[in-house]
Amino acid sequence: MSAKRTERLLTLVIMLLSSRRGFTKEDLFSEIDLYREATSSAAREKLFDRDKAALREQGIPLESFSEDAMFDNDNTVQRYRINAEDYRLGGVSFLPEEYAVLNLAAGVWDQGSLDSAASRALRKLSSRSTDGDVELTPLIQPRITTDAPYWDIVWQALTSRSPLRFPYRAASTGREEVRTIHPWGMGARFGHWYVVGYDTTREAERFFRLSRMTGEPVVLGGTFEVPASFDMNRTLSSLSRTEPDRTAVVAVRPGSCQVLRVRKDTEVTRTGQEWDLLRVPYAASSPMAATIAGLGVNARVEEPQELVTEVARLLDGAYEAAGKAPRDLEITDGVRPAPRRKASSQDHLLRLLDLVPYLLAHPGAEIGETARRFEISESQLTKDLDLLFVSGPRHYPDALMDVNIEDGRIYLSNARDLAEPVKLSMDEACSLIVGLQALQELTGMRDNEAIVSAQTKLSIAAGDAARIGNAVATKLTEDDLDPTLEVLQAALQGGVRIAVDYFVPTRDEITHRLLEPIRIFLHQDTWYLEAWSTEANGLRNFRLDRIQSARLTEEPATAGRDEVSLARTRRTSSPYRAAEADQTVTLVLEPSARWIAAQYNAEAVQELGEDRLAARLRVASSAWIPGLVAGLGGSAAVSAPNAVREETLRWLEAARAHHALT
């Protein structure tokens, strides 16, 4: 980033805020030394145009006007100012418990588009929080991810109210068509992000799943109005999963295939020494066929024939891919770090504009604590303070800020024009408003008074930006999980153990466990319970959708406090725990199966060209790997170790022969 450009932008903001009458360009060029350093008048003009655009891009309300209406279109007599009322955050203050739930709301965003916006919003509101530190450790920890394809582009069209055009493959027909919509809202449900809007071709409101866009969307010119009655929360609630409308008759070996037996409304119509017969409802052939293919020789479809054919196709594809997979592929790239956006002068400017009101609201703030709050190093904070000291109009030295550091504490004065935080931008408002809505949906928090009052005050503080609360929504839990969540929440609050029946797909069995719950967290749209297992005498993670039953006991939880504290304070959560006895398996993934790397927390990945990926997974047992690749039908194959590769080939060969008997 350029410190000179940041200084120039900050000085420009200070000057434009200081006068209701505003300044001409010549006034500004005269007062701000860094404009006079331009090599020519044309370069100076271009520099000023870039700076105006940068301020407006960051939501700073820079106005241009003429004192004489006859010269409105004459740039040479234009005056510029920042309207202080439009610039400053609404005058509300938050109680400690309200600021604590705002912290929780900011924390629900996973690293991505709105994660940094949430941090900026909290910094601004911190100067409006009354004294009294209140920290909440949520027992239920939701996470919202924004890693869906083209999320940022759709967000840009939504917030600017610009039409959007994109190629799209419909699930119902499989055909690819170019669609043009007026995006009214975005929402996340069932593990997917959707955009909702007016389809200009169908002339009706339509849902579109971002992952079904087959190419990069284009933001078009023009604008539109969103119907006053539109509410994304209500619209998202109307979206439902496809209900089962078909039934499969499946023969399964006794005691096996629990994944089919525990499905809702499955019927056991016959039992026998060699085979049980199940009637299993399902909605779509592809996921059902993948499930049955993954069961290998323990299941066989009796009817319908289309499902028989689909299972055979998956097994043939998996076997062919397994034979062609390279042997013992070595990954050399290591783990890819998450991409970090390069900091810009605009980012630096926003931090400085947040820093000034924070320091004025907290006189004597300690350097280390301030640096941590702004997520920068102490040396960077010192540079920021030096920049504040020198920024301002040169001909008015009494207008410069005074910065003093005494005994490691910061004192700032003479900064009246920057004393109030900048109003919340659209993405900042969205991050907290939607975060609070997500928290309020959770079992045990629906009637939380602090959340309700924080929502009300936040809407006032956000002003016009608060409209985003009707345009973005998430639904992180479904009704079928609520009973389990209620039991787990009661156990967490009461500090007692729970007894659960738990389905273990890798061993194809239902086990009985005695657990001491520690927290509930969301990862990749799947809810997990982190608990102390009395049988294993250690921490384990359990998927909530695999808990068949859960009941409270009267036995107190006795897990070690250090383990519990460690688990509760982790910012990021992964359902997979490494152990010394773990082994590694390297898979070759086709484009449609790249999600495996993220879903199973690959410890290393490497691009192979043509959008194929090699991923090395750490697993406690490799017994479930053949079933995984079978269900993927050739989109994944084992490369290493060779013993697992050969075992997978034998497993697939036997499964193909078994299903060929149908």
Side-chain angles (χ1 to χ4, degrees), residues 107 136-138 141-143 518-522 529-531 539-541 562-577:
L136 298 179
T137 301
Q141 300 175 8
R143 301 295 283 172
I518 293 172
R519 63 172 180 154
I520 306 160
F521 65 92
L522 188 64
L529 166 68
E530 184 166 44
L539 284 174
R540 296 291 186 271
N541 293 328
D562 290 343
E563 289 277 12
V564 172
S565 175
L566 175 66
R568 286 184 174 175
T569 56
R570 272 196 297 270
R571 173 168 168 74
T572 57
S573 303
S574 171
Y576 306 103
R577 295 183 176 280

Side-chain angles (χ1 to χ4, degrees), residues 347-398:
D347 297 326
H348 195 187
L349 172 68
L350 290 176
R351 186 171 74 238
L352 295 175
L353 293 177
D354 293 343
L355 182 60
V356 172
Y358 174 81
L359 293 175
L360 291 174
H362 300 85
E366 197 268 328
I367 285 181
E369 171 58 27
T370 303
R372 284 190 293 275
R373 183 176 288 270
F374 282 79
E375 299 177 346
I376 55 176
S377 65
E378 292 186 24
S379 62
Q380 181 60 56
L381 176 59
T382 301
K383 293 177 183 177
D384 286 355
L385 296 173
D386 289 341
L387 194 54
L388 289 177
F389 182 72
V390 301
S391 297
R394 294 292 178 265
H395 294 172
Y396 300 92
D398 58 337

Side-chain angles (χ1 to χ4, degrees), residues 105 108-109 113 116 118 140 144 178 190 246 295-296 300 333 350 396 438 452 488 542 558 658:
V108 307
W109 294 95
S113 299
S116 57
I140 301 179
I144 303 173
V178 175
F190 307 133
R246 287 173 273 188
L295 297 171
R300 185 176 68 239
D333 286 356
L350 290 176
Y396 300 92
V452 174
L488 299 181
F542 302 89
T558 58
H658 169 71

